[in-house]
Amino acid sequence: MSDTMGNTGNTGNIQDTGAPPHGPGPQPRKSSWRYIGPGIVVAATGVGAGDLVATLIAGSSFGYTLLWAAVIGCLVKISLAEAAGRWHLATGRTLFDGWASLGRWTTYFFGVYVVVWGFVYGAAAMSSSALPLQALFPDVMGLEWWGIACALVGLAFVWFNRYAVFEKVMTVLVGVMFVVTVYLAARVVPNLGDAFAGLLPVLPDADDSVLYTLGLIGGVGGTITLAAYGYWINAKGWTDSGWMKVMRLDNRVAYLTTGIFVVAMLVVGAELLNSAGVAIAGGDKGLIQLSDILEDKYGATTAKFFLVGFFATSFTSLIGVWHGVSLMFADFVNRGRKKAKPSTGEAIASGRPEKSWPFRAYLLWLTFPPMILLFEGQPFRLIIIYGVLGAAFMPFLALTLVWLLNSARTPREWRNGPLSNAMLAIAGLLFLVLCVKQIWDQPWSEFF
């Protein structure tokens, strides 16, 4: 697709990138900060309240000891997102189209995963977005109704807007997250000497410290949203290898931003909680506890400021998944049709998938069925299946990217080099270990 076509707006979705028109064949675009966008989206979506709690607890339990693990987590995710983006740009095909070329087993796995995952995640995203709102406005309505309100706002926003507006709103919310987390880290006055010492790879003196550390590395910033990155760069209008340098800069910005978020929360955990010997609960409620601690130490204004950042963190994850995973589901349905044509980046860039019935059907699936779980609680067996499928997705993503990017499916100049193969192999092994642990830890005796 030529820039001339993209810039005229004939598709209704492709952005005016500012790149000059060019002749046949992709021409390299100069890497520039003004193109940045999908990276902000993937960072905002990938860093949810759970990531902030995990790093907060790591800081409260071990001080700065695991700062290096948070940094490595960002590097691992950079390699995965870069590989997904490189596939989209180098081949002009979508990631799901690549998976489908590996065999029908990928379709079966993804189909089961995306349905079960969406049902359970929908409820989790609603609850996470509702918690800070209920804390800010305790007398307005109950947690369940705040959750439903967030889901409906997210549904309406994604349903009626295309990628361009979506990206702008995500950028604003990321700005809020950035200001809040950096402000808190500065407010607690980090010990820079200890922080730099925390960059040395040392394991904490605790039981299961290896698995705990691997879990922290694997949990920094995103799961299925890493796979959605390629779809977002296509939705931006980047559809060929001429955008490769831009994509790589964009991806680095994504995980630099992610790194700042998680390191800031680890600093808060180390300085505010570890030094005082205060423990907080896991899960989103740990952030509500942190709000109470901030209010006691710094006053109500700081606590409310933090809750606004907590809401921005949770709600960006909600609308990011509502948009990105719905794009993937639309591609999945399209590719599953008889005599389906290969799914292309240009098709995503056209904006048509965002108006398609599979996209909107998955939006409705993420929004309405999970509301039942807000009132009824999460069904035990379904949660186990959700945990197993969720644990299996990341090794699936890493290892299939290794397969795709070392094969003739990818043009030779864009195949993996030694560094990419090493990083993806490390990611695959890391997530495989975490997958086995997750499966092992499930209460299977109670399942049957």
Side-chain angles (χ1 to χ4, degrees), residues 66-78 199 201 216-218 220 423 426 430:
L66 290 178
L67 181 61
W68 64 272
V71 173
I72 288 180
C74 292
L75 295 177
V76 167
K77 300 299 175 59
I78 282 176
L199 294 173
L216 181 63
I217 293 171
V220 175
M423 291 299 293
I426 290 168
L430 164 68

Side-chain angles (χ1 to χ4, degrees), residues 25-60:
Q27 300 296 313
R29 274 73 168 187
K30 188 175 180 181
S31 185
S32 173
W33 291 95
R34 64 195 175 102
Y35 297 143
I36 299 303
I40 297 296
V41 172
V42 78
T45 307
V47 178
D51 295 288
L52 297 188
V53 171
T55 50
L56 191 66
I57 290 176
S60 67

Side-chain angles (χ1 to χ4, degrees), residues 90-441:
T91 65
R93 297 160 61 192
T94 65
L95 184 55
F96 189 80
D97 195 64
W99 285 338
S101 73
L102 301 179
R104 294 195 66 83
W105 65 274
T106 59
T107 302
Y108 299 140
F109 172 78
F110 183 79
V112 174
Y113 170 79
V114 79
V115 170
V116 173
W117 182 88
F119 182 59
V120 180
Y121 179 84
M126 293 178 207
S127 295
S128 182
S129 299
L131 277 168
L133 291 176
Q134 188 189 39
L136 284 166
F137 310 104
D139 301 322
V140 176
M141 53 185 170
L143 182 69
E144 296 84 0
W145 297 106
W146 275 119
I148 289 171
C150 290
L152 293 176
V153 170
L155 171 68
F157 172 71
V158 175
W159 188 290
F160 292 110
N161 289 294
R162 302 280 75 83
Y163 176 81
V165 177
F166 166 72
E167 183 189 287
K168 286 182 174 64
V169 171
M170 292 288 272
T171 302
V172 171
L173 291 173
V174 165
V176 173
M177 292 166 59
F178 187 90
V179 170
V180 170
T181 53
V182 171
Y183 167 77
L184 287 179
R187 187 72 192 264
V188 300
V189 190
N191 184 318
L192 295 181
D194 288 350
F196 282 116
L199 294 173
L200 296 173
V202 176
L203 291 173
D205 184 16
D207 294 337
D208 295 328
S209 61
V210 173
L211 288 173
Y212 182 88
T213 303
L214 291 177
L216 181 63
I217 293 171
V220 175
T223 51
I224 194 172
T225 55
L226 291 167
Y229 179 60
Y231 289 82
W232 281 323
I233 65 175
N234 287 160
K236 178 77 168 176
W238 306 349
T239 58
D240 59 47
S241 58
W243 291 103
M244 202 69 76
K245 286 185 178 179
V246 176
M247 180 275 291
R248 284 170 168 162
L249 174 64
D250 181 74
N251 179 45
R252 288 169 191 144
V253 169
Y255 283 94
L256 175 62
T257 306
T258 299
I260 290 171
F261 290 150
V262 297
V263 168
M265 292 308 290
L266 191 139
V267 167
V268 172
E271 296 294 346
L272 188 63
L273 304 179
N274 180 263
S275 58
V278 176
I280 61 169
D284 299 343
K285 291 184 179 178
L287 295 182
I288 297 297
Q289 285 182 268
L290 177 60
S291 171
D292 294 336
I293 293 167
L294 288 170
E295 184 169 3
D296 289 341
K297 191 168 181 64
Y298 299 114
T301 301
T302 296
K304 285 182 168 54
F305 187 53
F306 166 72
L307 289 171
V308 170
F310 177 7
F311 172 73
T313 301
S314 298
F315 195 65
T316 51
S317 294
L318 186 151
I319 59 176
V321 165
W322 262 231
H323 187 275
V325 183
S326 296
L327 268 181
M328 295 185 69
F329 183 79
D331 190 29
F332 162 72
V333 172
N334 177 63
R335 192 64 182 73
R337 292 171 177 164
K338 289 183 180 179
K339 299 181 180 178
K341 296 179 181 179
S343 301
T344 65
E346 290 196 0
I348 303 298
S350 72
R352 288 189 299 272
E354 292 171 280
K355 301 174 184 176
S356 67
W357 72 261
F359 180 90
R360 290 179 168 175
Y362 195 72
L363 268 180
L364 296 173
W365 175 251
L366 283 167
T367 303
F368 290 105
M371 290 178 183
I372 300 168
L373 302 184
L374 294 178
F375 295 95
E376 299 296 330
Q378 298 182 343
F380 178 71
R381 287 183 175 83
L382 183 63
I383 295 304
I384 291 181
I385 295 170
Y386 168 81
V388 170
L389 287 172
F393 182 81
M394 290 303 282
F396 167 80
L397 175 62
L399 297 174
T400 54
L401 283 170
V402 170
W403 190 347
L404 290 170
L405 292 168
N406 284 287
S407 73
R409 297 173 180 85
T410 304
R412 184 172 298 278
E413 65 178 306
W414 300 116
R415 290 179 197 168
N416 277 0
L419 179 60
S420 294
N421 276 325
M423 291 299 293
L424 290 176
I426 290 168
L429 289 173
L430 164 68
F431 292 117
L432 199 58
V433 169
L434 295 175
C435 176
V436 170
K437 181 179 185 298
Q438 178 82 353
I439 293 171
W440 181 265
D441 288 345

